[in-house]
Amino acid sequence: MAQYLSVLRHLTPRGKITIAAAIGGVLLALVLLAKIAGHPSYSTVMAGLDPAQTGKITAALDQQGISYDLRSNGTALAVESSQVGRARVALASAGLPASDQPGFELFDKRKLGASDFEQQVTYQRALEGQIARTIEGVQGVGSAQVQLVLPGDQLFAADRTQSSAAVLLSSGSDALGPGAVQGIARLVASSVKGLSTKDVTIADASGALLWPTGDGGAGGGPTAKLAAQHAYEASLDAQLGALLTGTLGANKARVKTNVELDTSEGTENKLHYAKTGVPLKVTKDTETLKGKGASLSGAAGASSNVTGYAANGAGGSGNTNYSHTKGTTDYGVDKVVTRSTISPGAVKHLNVALMLDDSVPHSQIAGLTKTLSAAAGVVASRGDAISVTRLPFAAPPAANPATGPLTDPMGAARYAALGLAALAFLAYAVRHLRRREQELVAGDPTWLREIQSTVPLTEMERAPTALPAAPATPREELEELATREPERVAQQVRSWMTDG
């Protein structure tokens, strides 16, 4: 250590600046290496994503504590290289697109000398991947696998076979409605030349046949009913979950609905009678008679034979005033006939299960129950029910710490090589500087170092030190050299004379 300090003390300012710069460069390189080594490496898992599905994918990865990086404006997803397997399993479990089935980019790299058969197989693979990506863009579809049968060209029409397609939808696609399944079938049929919808087969992850249906239509059967119920439940769960999250905050409540729908179709006729009748026909008949007759006196009859008859006005003066009215009214019944078609999808029964975290106060439970019942459409007379449970929620899983370069052997070897190179550079620089400084120190005359050294005054008084001898002059050095090596001097003089 003392030797190094002595070397540093005898360095020139330029040498000291060079050593400081070299040490700073090595420290900076070490800091950069440590930063690069601590930063995890990412590998692309999926490309060509629909931005509408990116939120679901990142939520599934966050739930599993997997670090990710969005690239290409959210259309590509990369995860840590050590967690690629976990990411694929997590996305597959959530029913999200976790496959990177190639499309027409297979033709970006062409091979020389490829046969017609290889070209046909490549085209079929590219078409299958492109159709699968298109199907994955349908809302409610997690991932899809497409298998095509494309017959070759035949000379005779009788020998030709029809194209066919098989589509397998991942788990979570059972919520697709009949219309969406029919749309996927038509989409596949329109993407392949010579393919009709009747030759397209669509099945879900459980193996249930979604297309073609029994009657060849767009819906009907138990599968369509279950799909409609699941779609309704998913939509209602999302709406109620958003309402609870906006009211209580994240991870404070969970809601799940169970609905039974009436998927039957029919017509309904209703007949309604009014309380009062409506007059349809009114008939009125009025009869009047007016006349004036002659006076009767002394003539035969009651007026002359009965005493006082004429005085009572029975026959009187003979004037006539007669009136008679009669009518008939025909009443009709006021009725309304309503004919309506009952569309499938009416709710027959609805149950709502609500779970609250124990941090939610008891005073808010009644209000939340009432609000949730109104939002879900719970009808007590129909037999609907809502259940509320309050219990402590489990803490979300913590994210895994970032893995170091040791998980990647190639990365560790690369970092080790960079570190060794930096250390070798530092050792070479120090060795070169030490050699240079030693040469500079060795070149200094001994008498100069002795003169520069300090001696205490008491030591000089006790034993005076002799002054160092003055350096020899060039003439004295030449005389000493001629005395010590006369042949060498004579040879040198002879060469000078020859050159002159």
Side-chain angles (χ1 to χ4, degrees), residues 161 208 449:
T161 57
R449 294 198 301 271

Side-chain angles (χ1 to χ4, degrees), residues 148-209:
L148 299 178
V149 177
L150 303 179
D153 297 333
Q154 299 293 334
L155 179 61
F156 300 101
D159 297 335
R160 296 178 183 176
T161 57
Q162 296 294 329
S163 302
S164 61
V167 180
L168 177 63
L169 304 179
S170 65
S171 59
S173 303
D174 50 356
L176 288 175
V181 176
Q182 184 183 17
I184 293 175
R186 292 185 177 274
L187 187 148
V188 175
S190 302
S191 302
V192 181
K193 180 181 179 181
L195 181 62
S196 61
T197 55
K198 65 179 181 179
D199 296 322
V200 178
T201 303
I202 303 177
D204 59 7
S206 63
L209 185 64

Side-chain angles (χ1 to χ4, degrees), residues 40-101:
S41 59
Y42 287 84
S43 300
T44 302
V45 178
M46 289 179 292
L49 293 175
D50 184 4
Q53 298 288 333
T54 306
K56 298 179 181 180
I57 296 173
T58 54
L61 295 179
D62 289 334
Q63 187 176 3
Q64 297 296 329
I66 300 175
S67 302
Y68 60 87
D69 182 23
L70 293 177
R71 300 175 179 176
S72 302
N73 296 325
T75 59
L77 179 70
V79 299
E80 294 185 19
S81 301
S82 59
Q83 296 182 346
V84 172
R86 287 189 57 204
R88 293 185 183 277
V89 173
L91 295 177
S93 300
L96 296 172
S99 62
D100 51 355
Q101 192 171 0

Side-chain angles (χ1 to χ4, degrees), residues 455-489:
V455 180
L457 183 59
T458 55
E459 185 177 351
M460 293 180 64
E461 293 177 351
R462 188 182 319 110
T465 305
L467 294 175
T473 62
R475 181 176 180 179
E476 293 176 352
E477 292 180 355
L478 183 59
E479 291 177 354
E480 182 182 358
L481 180 61
T483 304
R484 188 173 62 252
E485 298 180 2
E487 295 108 355
R488 181 179 178 186
V489 174

Side-chain angles (χ1 to χ4, degrees), residues 123-134:
Y123 171 74
Q124 182 171 339
R125 288 183 56 199
L127 186 59
E128 291 173 352
Q130 205 68 24
I131 295 175
R133 290 180 181 179
T134 306

